[in-house]
Amino acid sequence: GENVEQHPSTLSVQEGDSAVIKCTYSDSASNYFPWYKQELGKRPQLIIDIRSNVGEKKDQRIAVTLNKTAKHFSLHITETQPEDSAVYFCAASIREKLTFGTGTRLTIIP
Amino acid sequence: DVKVTQSSRYLVKRTGEKVFLECVQDMDHENMFWYRQDPGLGLRLIYFSYDVKMKEKGDIPEGYSVSREKKERFSLILESASTNQTSMYLCASTLAGNYGYTFGSGTRLTVV
């Protein structure tokens, strides 16, 4: 089955700086790669996603890049703000079944 | 606002009990999923269903079963609860062909 690895497990950045979280996947048949944000005590929320026929997607301060050849994808958050502090999960999908990474706890330092 | 509703936010059960976790969605979604979330392990798929009365095993189905008698409801059953099933359980749903999950708010189950 699919295996998704996510790094780093924790990340602290100064407010205003950029944060990058990286994931790799194992199954070349995966074709959809979402990112979820989970704030403390809340449910995961989809923040951005990318399909395998696209190399990069951007939505305001967040962007995702995908390298199908290397089987890795990354989340980039620019101009970080305190409200970006949360746990972020990457995932890879075959059909509609998502396999998640183990999560990155992002802390924004004021 | 679309919703995935899990019947209990917190649940405490005794070892050996049969436990039912209920999930209901009001979005007419075909696909429904049960995950458990543990610190450092992320979200792991227990069971999923692409249609009524259909079910498929996920990555960690041992000790669990599911039921989907109606499109909007997907139940997770712990046949005989054990302490290693203490966890946060998350239900999710999505339309066929649309991979963006909507999650429920979760059920934190403690087995004592």
Side-chain angles (χ1 to χ4, degrees):
Chain A
E2 175 64 280
N3 182 52
V4 177
E5 295 191 0
Q6 182 172 349
H7 299 280
S9 57
T10 61
L11 179 62
S12 295
V13 301
Q14 290 290 140
E15 183 177 351
D17 287 350
S18 295
V20 179
I21 303 170
K22 298 182 178 182
C23 290
T24 61
Y25 61 99
S26 61
D27 195 329
S28 57
S30 289
N31 58 2
Y32 173 71
F33 307 90
W35 287 86
Y36 285 82
K37 175 183 180 182
Q38 187 177 31
E39 297 175 348
L40 191 62
K42 296 190 176 180
R43 71 192 77 188
Q45 299 271 13
L46 178 68
I47 57 171
I48 195 167
D49 56 12
I50 191 167
R51 294 192 183 269
S52 58
N53 58 348
V54 176
E56 184 173 356
K57 183 176 178 180
K58 190 174 181 181
D59 183 4
Q60 297 181 35
R61 295 186 299 109
I62 60 173
V64 58
T65 58
L66 171 65
N67 183 327
K68 283 196 303 181
T69 304
K71 291 200 231 130
H72 66 70
F73 56 114
S74 301
L75 177 71
H76 304 253
I77 306 174
T78 59
E79 300 172 11
T80 53
Q81 300 169 4
E83 55 264 36
D84 295 328
S85 291
V87 178
Y88 292 80
F89 293 97
C90 63
S93 175
I94 299 173
R95 201 176 163 182
E96 289 97 336
K97 187 183 94 167
L98 288 179
T99 300
F100 286 84
T102 51
T104 296
R105 182 173 299 280
L106 175 64
T107 302
I108 307 303
I109 304 165
Chain B
D1 192 20
V2 294
K3 280 187 177 175
V4 177
T5 303
Q6 294 184 230
S7 54
S8 303
R9 190 79 172 100
Y10 298 94
L11 213 50
V12 180
K13 296 292 181 180
R14 294 195 179 277
T15 301
E17 277 193 80
K18 190 168 186 176
V19 181
F20 293 85
L21 303 183
E22 305 289 345
C23 176
V24 177
Q25 49 93 5
D26 64 359
M27 300 166 283
D28 203 33
H29 284 176
E30 289 83 6
N31 307 319
M32 297 188 75
F33 307 84
W34 275 106
Y35 286 83
R36 64 176 282 177
Q37 182 176 14
D38 301 286
L41 297 178
L43 285 74
R44 293 179 291 166
L45 183 61
I46 305 170
Y47 265 97
F48 59 106
S49 169
Y50 288 133
D51 203 350
V52 178
K53 296 194 185 292
M54 289 181 64
K55 59 184 179 182
E56 294 195 39
K57 292 180 180 179
D59 299 318
I60 52 164
E62 297 78 19
Y64 304 94
S65 63
V66 290
S67 172
R68 189 155 182 214
E69 296 296 318
K70 294 185 177 182
K71 189 176 185 179
E72 66 271 19
R73 185 181 296 271
F74 192 36
S75 303
L76 180 68
I77 304 157
L78 286 67
E79 297 292 342
S80 177
S82 64
T83 55
N84 62 12
Q85 292 178 311
T86 291
S87 186
M88 170 67 82
Y89 289 87
L90 288 164
C91 175
S93 72
T94 186
L95 281 168
N98 180 344
Y99 299 7
Y101 286 11
T102 299
F103 280 94
S105 54
T107 296
R108 183 166 294 282
L109 172 68
T110 302
V111 182
V112 298

